[in-house]
mmCIF file with all atom_site columns, all heavy atoms in Angstrom:
data_model
loop_
_atom_site.group_PDB
_atom_site.id
_atom_site.type_symbol
_atom_site.label_atom_id
_atom_site.label_alt_id
_atom_site.label_comp_id
_atom_site.label_asym_id
_atom_site.label_entity_id
_atom_site.label_seq_id
_atom_site.pdbx_PDB_ins_code
_atom_site.Cartn_x
_atom_site.Cartn_y
_atom_site.Cartn_z
_atom_site.occupancy
_atom_site.B_iso_or_equiv
_atom_site.pdbx_formal_charge
_atom_site.auth_seq_id
_atom_site.auth_comp_id
_atom_site.auth_asym_id
_atom_site.auth_atom_id
_atom_site.pdbx_PDB_model_num
ATOM   1   N  N   . CYS A 1 51  ? -15.612 67.662 58.545 1.00 97.00 ? 51  CYS A N   1
ATOM   2   C  CA  . CYS A 1 51  ? -14.797 66.436 58.816 1.00 97.00 ? 51  CYS A CA  1
ATOM   3   C  C   . CYS A 1 51  ? -14.751 66.146 60.287 1.00 97.00 ? 51  CYS A C   1
ATOM   4   O  O   . CYS A 1 51  ? -14.477 67.074 61.018 1.00 97.00 ? 51  CYS A O   1
ATOM   5   C  CB  . CYS A 1 51  ? -13.469 66.568 58.183 1.00 97.00 ? 51  CYS A CB  1
ATOM   6   S  SG  . CYS A 1 51  ? -12.414 65.098 58.529 1.00 97.00 ? 51  CYS A SG  1
ATOM   7   N  N   . PRO A 1 52  ? -15.053 64.925 60.718 1.00 97.00 ? 52  PRO A N   1
ATOM   8   C  CA  . PRO A 1 52  ? -15.005 64.645 62.142 1.00 97.00 ? 52  PRO A CA  1
ATOM   9   C  C   . PRO A 1 52  ? -13.579 64.766 62.768 1.00 97.00 ? 52  PRO A C   1
ATOM   10  O  O   . PRO A 1 52  ? -13.438 64.818 63.962 1.00 97.00 ? 52  PRO A O   1
ATOM   11  C  CB  . PRO A 1 52  ? -15.492 63.199 62.231 1.00 97.00 ? 52  PRO A CB  1
ATOM   12  C  CG  . PRO A 1 52  ? -15.278 62.609 60.876 1.00 97.00 ? 52  PRO A CG  1
ATOM   13  C  CD  . PRO A 1 52  ? -15.403 63.770 59.954 1.00 97.00 ? 52  PRO A CD  1
ATOM   14  N  N   . HIS A 1 53  ? -12.608 64.919 61.856 1.00 96.00 ? 53  HIS A N   1
ATOM   15  C  CA  . HIS A 1 53  ? -11.229 64.958 62.452 1.00 96.00 ? 53  HIS A CA  1
ATOM   16  C  C   . HIS A 1 53  ? -10.953 66.435 62.926 1.00 96.00 ? 53  HIS A C   1
ATOM   17  O  O   . HIS A 1 53  ? -11.070 66.695 64.086 1.00 96.00 ? 53  HIS A O   1
ATOM   18  C  CB  . HIS A 1 53  ? -10.246 64.539 61.359 1.00 96.00 ? 53  HIS A CB  1
ATOM   19  C  CG  . HIS A 1 53  ? -8.833  64.552 61.852 1.00 96.00 ? 53  HIS A CG  1
ATOM   20  N  ND1 . HIS A 1 53  ? -7.809  64.864 61.028 1.00 96.00 ? 53  HIS A ND1 1
ATOM   21  C  CD2 . HIS A 1 53  ? -8.277  64.280 63.036 1.00 96.00 ? 53  HIS A CD2 1
ATOM   22  C  CE1 . HIS A 1 53  ? -6.624  64.738 61.665 1.00 96.00 ? 53  HIS A CE1 1
ATOM   23  N  NE2 . HIS A 1 53  ? -6.931  64.424 62.930 1.00 96.00 ? 53  HIS A NE2 1
ATOM   24  N  N   . GLN A 1 54  ? -10.697 67.333 62.033 1.00 96.00 ? 54  GLN A N   1
ATOM   25  C  CA  . GLN A 1 54  ? -10.409 68.702 62.441 1.00 96.00 ? 54  GLN A CA  1
ATOM   26  C  C   . GLN A 1 54  ? -11.393 69.746 61.805 1.00 96.00 ? 54  GLN A C   1
ATOM   27  O  O   . GLN A 1 54  ? -11.100 70.923 61.757 1.00 96.00 ? 54  GLN A O   1
ATOM   28  C  CB  . GLN A 1 54  ? -8.927  69.065 62.113 1.00 96.00 ? 54  GLN A CB  1
ATOM   29  C  CG  . GLN A 1 54  ? -8.003  68.244 63.024 1.00 96.00 ? 54  GLN A CG  1
ATOM   30  C  CD  . GLN A 1 54  ? -6.536  68.668 62.854 1.00 96.00 ? 54  GLN A CD  1
ATOM   31  O  OE1 . GLN A 1 54  ? -6.174  69.580 62.088 1.00 96.00 ? 54  GLN A OE1 1
ATOM   32  N  NE2 . GLN A 1 54  ? -5.612  67.979 63.574 1.00 96.00 ? 54  GLN A NE2 1
ATOM   33  N  N   . GLY A 1 55  ? -12.500 69.167 61.350 1.00 95.00 ? 55  GLY A N   1
ATOM   34  C  CA  . GLY A 1 55  ? -13.581 70.103 61.030 1.00 95.00 ? 55  GLY A CA  1
ATOM   35  C  C   . GLY A 1 55  ? -13.607 70.827 59.707 1.00 95.00 ? 55  GLY A C   1
ATOM   36  O  O   . GLY A 1 55  ? -14.349 71.738 59.501 1.00 95.00 ? 55  GLY A O   1
ATOM   37  N  N   . VAL A 1 56  ? -12.698 70.432 58.744 1.00 96.00 ? 56  VAL A N   1
ATOM   38  C  CA  . VAL A 1 56  ? -12.692 71.214 57.523 1.00 96.00 ? 56  VAL A CA  1
ATOM   39  C  C   . VAL A 1 56  ? -13.931 70.873 56.630 1.00 96.00 ? 56  VAL A C   1
ATOM   40  O  O   . VAL A 1 56  ? -14.558 69.829 56.883 1.00 96.00 ? 56  VAL A O   1
ATOM   41  C  CB  . VAL A 1 56  ? -11.335 71.134 56.724 1.00 96.00 ? 56  VAL A CB  1
ATOM   42  C  CG1 . VAL A 1 56  ? -10.177 71.414 57.599 1.00 96.00 ? 56  VAL A CG1 1
ATOM   43  C  CG2 . VAL A 1 56  ? -11.250 69.727 56.118 1.00 96.00 ? 56  VAL A CG2 1
ATOM   44  N  N   . MET A 1 58  ? -16.076 69.329 53.982 1.00 97.00 ? 58  MET A N   1
ATOM   45  C  CA  . MET A 1 58  ? -16.022 68.143 53.146 1.00 97.00 ? 58  MET A CA  1
ATOM   46  C  C   . MET A 1 58  ? -16.462 68.390 51.701 1.00 97.00 ? 58  MET A C   1
ATOM   47  O  O   . MET A 1 58  ? -16.146 67.568 50.799 1.00 97.00 ? 58  MET A O   1
ATOM   48  C  CB  . MET A 1 58  ? -16.923 66.990 53.731 1.00 97.00 ? 58  MET A CB  1
ATOM   49  C  CG  . MET A 1 58  ? -16.428 66.443 55.075 1.00 97.00 ? 58  MET A CG  1
ATOM   50  S  SD  . MET A 1 58  ? -14.796 65.650 54.976 1.00 97.00 ? 58  MET A SD  1
ATOM   51  C  CE  . MET A 1 58  ? -15.118 64.304 53.824 1.00 97.00 ? 58  MET A CE  1
ATOM   52  N  N   . CYS A 1 86  ? -11.335 63.574 52.728 1.00 96.00 ? 86  CYS A N   1
ATOM   53  C  CA  . CYS A 1 86  ? -11.305 64.907 53.339 1.00 96.00 ? 86  CYS A CA  1
ATOM   54  C  C   . CYS A 1 86  ? -10.219 65.733 52.574 1.00 96.00 ? 86  CYS A C   1
ATOM   55  O  O   . CYS A 1 86  ? -9.117  65.295 52.275 1.00 96.00 ? 86  CYS A O   1
ATOM   56  C  CB  . CYS A 1 86  ? -10.945 64.822 54.831 1.00 96.00 ? 86  CYS A CB  1
ATOM   57  S  SG  . CYS A 1 86  ? -10.578 66.393 55.547 1.00 96.00 ? 86  CYS A SG  1
ATOM   58  N  N   . PRO A 1 87  ? -10.567 67.022 52.300 1.00 95.00 ? 87  PRO A N   1
ATOM   59  C  CA  . PRO A 1 87  ? -9.658  67.909 51.527 1.00 95.00 ? 87  PRO A CA  1
ATOM   60  C  C   . PRO A 1 87  ? -8.388  68.281 52.314 1.00 95.00 ? 87  PRO A C   1
ATOM   61  O  O   . PRO A 1 87  ? -7.405  68.743 51.776 1.00 95.00 ? 87  PRO A O   1
ATOM   62  C  CB  . PRO A 1 87  ? -10.444 69.150 51.193 1.00 95.00 ? 87  PRO A CB  1
ATOM   63  C  CG  . PRO A 1 87  ? -11.511 69.209 52.278 1.00 95.00 ? 87  PRO A CG  1
ATOM   64  C  CD  . PRO A 1 87  ? -11.800 67.747 52.575 1.00 95.00 ? 87  PRO A CD  1
ATOM   65  N  N   . LEU A 1 88  ? -8.349  68.001 53.643 1.00 94.00 ? 88  LEU A N   1
ATOM   66  C  CA  . LEU A 1 88  ? -7.170  68.346 54.405 1.00 94.00 ? 88  LEU A CA  1
ATOM   67  C  C   . LEU A 1 88  ? -6.232  67.091 54.541 1.00 94.00 ? 88  LEU A C   1
ATOM   68  O  O   . LEU A 1 88  ? -5.355  66.911 53.778 1.00 94.00 ? 88  LEU A O   1
ATOM   69  C  CB  . LEU A 1 88  ? -7.551  68.945 55.744 1.00 94.00 ? 88  LEU A CB  1
ATOM   70  C  CG  . LEU A 1 88  ? -6.276  69.378 56.643 1.00 94.00 ? 88  LEU A CG  1
ATOM   71  C  CD1 . LEU A 1 88  ? -5.377  70.272 55.838 1.00 94.00 ? 88  LEU A CD1 1
ATOM   72  C  CD2 . LEU A 1 88  ? -6.803  70.093 57.875 1.00 94.00 ? 88  LEU A CD2 1
ATOM   73  N  N   . HIS A 1 89  ? -6.532  66.230 55.464 1.00 94.00 ? 89  HIS A N   1
ATOM   74  C  CA  . HIS A 1 89  ? -5.590  65.129 55.726 1.00 94.00 ? 89  HIS A CA  1
ATOM   75  C  C   . HIS A 1 89  ? -5.875  63.921 54.825 1.00 94.00 ? 89  HIS A C   1
ATOM   76  O  O   . HIS A 1 89  ? -5.124  62.971 54.731 1.00 94.00 ? 89  HIS A O   1
ATOM   77  C  CB  . HIS A 1 89  ? -5.582  64.661 57.149 1.00 94.00 ? 89  HIS A CB  1
ATOM   78  C  CG  . HIS A 1 89  ? -5.263  65.831 58.047 1.00 94.00 ? 89  HIS A CG  1
ATOM   79  N  ND1 . HIS A 1 89  ? -6.246  66.331 58.911 1.00 94.00 ? 89  HIS A ND1 1
ATOM   80  C  CD2 . HIS A 1 89  ? -4.142  66.556 58.248 1.00 94.00 ? 89  HIS A CD2 1
ATOM   81  C  CE1 . HIS A 1 89  ? -5.775  67.333 59.568 1.00 94.00 ? 89  HIS A CE1 1
ATOM   82  N  NE2 . HIS A 1 89  ? -4.485  67.529 59.217 1.00 94.00 ? 89  HIS A NE2 1
ATOM   83  N  N   . GLY A 1 90  ? -7.121  63.856 54.307 1.00 95.00 ? 90  GLY A N   1
ATOM   84  C  CA  . GLY A 1 90  ? -7.434  62.763 53.377 1.00 95.00 ? 90  GLY A CA  1
ATOM   85  C  C   . GLY A 1 90  ? -8.168  61.598 54.011 1.00 95.00 ? 90  GLY A C   1
ATOM   86  O  O   . GLY A 1 90  ? -8.233  60.500 53.410 1.00 95.00 ? 90  GLY A O   1
ATOM   87  N  N   . TRP A 1 91  ? -8.676  61.684 55.191 1.00 96.00 ? 91  TRP A N   1
ATOM   88  C  CA  . TRP A 1 91  ? -9.458  60.564 55.777 1.00 96.00 ? 91  TRP A CA  1
ATOM   89  C  C   . TRP A 1 91  ? -10.518 60.181 54.748 1.00 96.00 ? 91  TRP A C   1
ATOM   90  O  O   . TRP A 1 91  ? -11.184 61.136 54.104 1.00 96.00 ? 91  TRP A O   1
ATOM   91  C  CB  . TRP A 1 91  ? -10.182 60.943 57.063 1.00 96.00 ? 91  TRP A CB  1
ATOM   92  C  CG  . TRP A 1 91  ? -9.278  61.017 58.260 1.00 96.00 ? 91  TRP A CG  1
ATOM   93  C  CD1 . TRP A 1 91  ? -7.911  60.960 58.304 1.00 96.00 ? 91  TRP A CD1 1
ATOM   94  C  CD2 . TRP A 1 91  ? -9.704  61.069 59.623 1.00 96.00 ? 91  TRP A CD2 1
ATOM   95  N  NE1 . TRP A 1 91  ? -7.471  61.066 59.617 1.00 96.00 ? 91  TRP A NE1 1
ATOM   96  C  CE2 . TRP A 1 91  ? -8.552  61.122 60.449 1.00 96.00 ? 91  TRP A CE2 1
ATOM   97  C  CE3 . TRP A 1 91  ? -10.961 61.168 60.295 1.00 96.00 ? 91  TRP A CE3 1
ATOM   98  C  CZ2 . TRP A 1 91  ? -8.632  61.223 61.815 1.00 96.00 ? 91  TRP A CZ2 1
ATOM   99  C  CZ3 . TRP A 1 91  ? -10.999 61.273 61.650 1.00 96.00 ? 91  TRP A CZ3 1
ATOM   100 C  CH2 . TRP A 1 91  ? -9.838  61.262 62.430 1.00 96.00 ? 91  TRP A CH2 1
ATOM   101 N  N   . PHE A 1 93  ? -14.119 58.355 53.597 1.00 98.00 ? 93  PHE A N   1
ATOM   102 C  CA  . PHE A 1 93  ? -15.428 57.957 54.152 1.00 98.00 ? 93  PHE A CA  1
ATOM   103 C  C   . PHE A 1 93  ? -16.227 57.323 53.016 1.00 98.00 ? 93  PHE A C   1
ATOM   104 O  O   . PHE A 1 93  ? -16.258 57.754 51.899 1.00 98.00 ? 93  PHE A O   1
ATOM   105 C  CB  . PHE A 1 93  ? -16.197 59.268 54.631 1.00 98.00 ? 93  PHE A CB  1
ATOM   106 C  CG  . PHE A 1 93  ? -15.425 59.925 55.716 1.00 98.00 ? 93  PHE A CG  1
ATOM   107 C  CD1 . PHE A 1 93  ? -14.621 60.994 55.401 1.00 98.00 ? 93  PHE A CD1 1
ATOM   108 C  CD2 . PHE A 1 93  ? -15.586 59.569 57.104 1.00 98.00 ? 93  PHE A CD2 1
ATOM   109 C  CE1 . PHE A 1 93  ? -13.848 61.683 56.376 1.00 98.00 ? 93  PHE A CE1 1
ATOM   110 C  CE2 . PHE A 1 93  ? -14.890 60.295 58.009 1.00 98.00 ? 93  PHE A CE2 1
ATOM   111 C  CZ  . PHE A 1 93  ? -13.999 61.311 57.714 1.00 98.00 ? 93  PHE A CZ  1
ATOM   112 N  N   . ALA B 2 286 ? -5.021  58.637 57.437 1.00 96.00 ? 286 ALA B N   1
ATOM   113 C  CA  . ALA B 2 286 ? -5.148  59.519 56.270 1.00 96.00 ? 286 ALA B CA  1
ATOM   114 C  C   . ALA B 2 286 ? -4.699  58.785 55.080 1.00 96.00 ? 286 ALA B C   1
ATOM   115 O  O   . ALA B 2 286 ? -5.128  59.082 53.937 1.00 96.00 ? 286 ALA B O   1
ATOM   116 C  CB  . ALA B 2 286 ? -4.318  60.726 56.500 1.00 96.00 ? 286 ALA B CB  1
HETATM 117 S  S1  . FES C 3 .   ? -9.595  67.424 58.896 1.00 88.22 ? 1   FES C S1  1
HETATM 118 FE FE1 . FES C 3 .   ? -10.406 65.886 57.636 1.00 88.22 ? 1   FES C FE1 1
HETATM 119 S  S2  . FES C 3 .   ? -8.995  64.359 57.797 1.00 88.22 ? 1   FES C S2  1
HETATM 120 FE FE2 . FES C 3 .   ? -8.152  65.853 59.040 1.00 88.22 ? 1   FES C FE2 1
#
Side-chain angles (χ1 to χ4, degrees):
Chain A
C51 176
H53 182 215
Q54 291 184 2
V56 306
M58 290 300 297
C86 169
L88 183 51
H89 308 108
W91 283 14
F93 301 92

